[in-house]
Every structure is written in structure tokens, then in C-alpha cells.
Amino acid sequence: MNASPSQPHPAEWTETQGLLPSVERDLPAGRHQFHKEQMMAQIHDDLRTDRTSARPAPAPRRRNPFLRRAILLPAGAFALAGAVVAGLALSGGNDDGGKTDLATGPALTTRVGAADPKGAPQLLDRISLAAADTSAPAVHDGQFVYIASKVASTYPKTVDDKTTVVSQKLHDRRVWMSPDGKDGWLIEAGETSDEGMTLAGPNPVSSAYNLLAKLPTDPDALLRHIYQVSDADRDPEVPRDQAAFVAIGDLLAESYPPADLTAALYKAAAKIPGVVTVDDAVDATGRHGIAVARQNDTDGQRTEWIFDRKTLELLGERTVQVKADKDGEFKAGTVVFTSAITQRAVVDGNKQQPGKAG
């Protein structure tokens, strides 16, 4: 995978335009970690001192930063990982603790693309070969992996006992992570201050470079490992195969795996039952591509990894409501979460941006 995806084309900003700020143009949602997100949201609510809504809103259906990545950590490490991100759980209420409210408009929607259950193995094999042929720099002690993206989420928001489904503005997300996963920084509008917040802690983030470099690169062994560790923390509402697919997507979207591991992750994904291709999908910045996807039949949401048609580079991911959920809040075609990777690099210091010293 290349360090920087191709730039978005403004002419292709169609379904994402409703998320954009009025004067200017940031990996999965769903219930696969629903209970954990409820817990994080409750912690967040308990810390809030000023409320303008009489009752707390439901937890948002987007991932909390690094919460999903805890799936590849031993079960005992989750408590600390949760503590690191406790202050980041979004609340759907109308009080944002002084932060900018990013939920500004109606739910983002899209045409639900047709799924091809036969095309995934061949496409993933091509993507794997392309990834193996890509040279990525090694990450050394003292350096940091830098990932910049555009993201937005859709979630139920309750104001004065009335619940509506709203989408955030598309916004920047920037993450720095040390090779050992014990130090890092996050800046995301509406979730951190303008300066950001530390991700430091004694337990490493599971997508840290040094940990990824130790994973097996044999696809069968790698998939067995993913199933084993995802089973330990899997939400019982989430099918086992879906949890494994989501875990692989997490490692691909906001980390910098060595090329041989990236290739193995795609080959492992091809072995998961229910993985399909979607002929047309759009990332958060409007770039069209072909997707590898899997649907969670429990909640009717489909997680899509979006690739450039020509280079097969990972552009981003999104979660689409394929069929209305049982509560009737999320209608078919709702984009629950959308992201676009805009830059991936190795820098020489925490909070340093590529091309800038210090």
C-alpha cells in the first residue's frame, strides 16, 4: 500500500457533499462493539457536568478511537485500553462539553451496491499481490507512524425526548503511534481539543508496528490467530466471521503493517465465509472504487473496504445499512460510518507532520 492515496476528484463528490462544511471540503461502526461502546459512553456521560438534555442519548454507532483495535490484545489488556479512550466516547446529546457539535444534518445515504459472492477470492488475491509488491519503510525506535484521514459518522441524537438520525460533518483525524504502541497522539475535531490528546499507556495498542511485525504471515496461521483473539472479546451479538473481518480491516485502515503482513491479511480475509465484492463504493472524499465487503446479518450493516480500481490501493472504508435495522432508526442506504485515508507516513517525532521538523 502506498504512503499517500490518490487525491480526491471534486467532480466525484456526490453522496458525501451533505457532510462537507459550507466553505471547505477523516475505521467500524455498527454494533460489533455495541456493549463496549455503551460502557465508554456511560463513562463519558458520568464525567460531564453540564447537560442541556433531560435524558442521555443512545451511544453513537461509530467506533471509538482504538477501541476496536483492542480486539487483538489479550483480554486482560482491554481494561487499560478502555481507560485510554474513555474520554473519547461520543455522546449523541446536544451538549458537547464545549466542543464543536459535528452532527449538522440529515443522515448520509447512498445507493446500496450489488454484492457478488463469487468475486472476492480473485480480487483479494490481486490486492494481496499488489500489496506485496509495495515497499514500505521500516519503523524504528523513536519514530512514529502517522495516519491522516477524513471521517464522519451517523448516529441517533436525542434532544428533548425526540430522536433523529444525524450525520457529522466530514472532519480531519490525525493519529501518531510509536512502534511499541505505548506512546501516541490523537487530534480529531469534536473529540479532542485543538491540541489533541495523548494515547500513552503501559499496554501497547494492538495495531502498533512492532506487534504487527510479530504476527504470522502464513494466511492460515494468521487467520487462526485472528479468530482466537477476536473470540476472547467478541460481542455475542456479532457473528464470529464478521468479528474476524472487522479485526482485519482495523489493522489495514489505521496502521502501517509490513508489506508481507499486509499481503497475508488480504489472503486471510479471502478465507472468511461471506466475504463479497461490491462493484462500486465511495469513500469519504468521494473517490469511487471497488470494495471487498461483508455483511453482519444481525444488524443489517455491511462493512466495505474500498480500493482504487487501477492501483488496488486501499482508499478507505465505510459501513452501510443494507437493510433497515430492527428499531427502524437506520434505513437501508444509510452510511453509518465513512472514512478516507489521505496520508500514511513515518515521522521522526510524536505530533510531527510529514515534511515538517519538530
Side-chain angles (χ1 to χ4, degrees), residues 75-358:
F78 174 73
L80 184 127
V84 171
V85 300
L88 296 176
L90 285 172
S91 171
N94 59 356
D95 168 31
D96 233 346
K99 296 183 291 185
T100 302
D101 188 355
L102 296 177
T104 58
L108 175 65
T109 60
T110 187
R111 180 183 66 85
V112 177
D116 177 6
K118 297 181 179 179
Q122 182 179 6
L123 177 59
L124 281 165
D125 186 62
R126 291 171 53 212
I127 293 171
S128 176
L129 290 173
D133 195 41
T134 300
S135 59
V139 187
H140 302 290
D141 291 343
Q143 293 184 313
F144 286 76
V145 172
Y146 171 79
I147 310 290
S149 57
K150 299 277 188 180
V151 302
S153 298
T154 300
Y155 56 91
K157 179 176 181 177
T158 300
V159 178
D160 297 330
D161 293 331
K162 181 181 179 181
T163 300
T164 56
V165 176
V166 295
S167 289
Q168 296 175 317
K169 290 180 180 178
L170 191 67
H171 59 280
D172 291 313
R173 174 178 166 88
R174 290 181 289 163
V175 174
W176 290 260
M177 185 55 58
S178 62
D180 62 7
K182 296 181 179 180
D183 192 16
W185 197 258
L186 169 69
I187 300 176
E188 183 172 355
E191 295 195 35
T192 70
S193 68
D194 292 342
E195 293 77 19
M197 66 166 290
T198 183
L199 298 174
N203 285 333
V205 174
S206 59
S207 57
Y209 182 86
N210 290 353
L211 293 183
L212 295 180
K214 295 178 182 179
L215 293 179
T217 55
D218 173 77
D220 291 313
L222 179 59
L223 187 58
R224 285 195 298 271
H225 171 78
I226 289 170
Y227 273 117
Q228 179 181 4
V229 294
S230 64
D231 282 347
D233 285 319
R234 178 171 57 90
D235 185 327
E237 293 185 7
V238 182
R240 187 171 186 253
D241 293 330
Q242 184 72 12
F245 183 80
V246 166
I248 292 175
D250 284 346
L251 296 184
L252 294 167
E254 200 165 78
S255 64
Y256 213 155
D260 56 348
L261 177 62
T262 300
L265 286 167
Y266 289 127
K267 288 183 177 294
K271 298 175 180 292
I272 298 176
V275 175
V276 301
T277 60
V278 179
D279 184 60
D280 184 59
V282 187
D283 76 2
T285 57
R287 296 176 296 192
H288 286 256
I290 191 168
V292 173
R294 194 181 190 285
Q295 181 172 326
N296 181 355
D297 290 329
T298 302
D299 59 14
Q301 294 179 1
R302 186 169 71 193
T303 299
E304 301 176 348
W305 307 338
I306 305 169
F307 298 88
D308 184 277
R309 292 182 185 278
K310 294 182 178 179
T311 66
L312 300 179
E313 179 183 20
L314 180 65
L315 301 177
E317 70 170 308
R318 69 178 183 177
T319 300
V320 177
Q321 194 78 39
V322 175
K323 60 180 181 179
D325 67 355
K326 60 184 179 181
D327 298 327
E329 292 177 337
F330 283 66
K331 302 182 185 302
T334 301
V335 179
V336 182
F337 174 74
T338 182
S339 73
I341 302 166
T342 57
Q343 192 168 25
R344 201 188 295 259
V346 177
V347 296
D348 292 329
N350 199 3
K351 296 184 279 184
Q352 178 181 325
Q353 295 188 46
K356 298 181 180 180

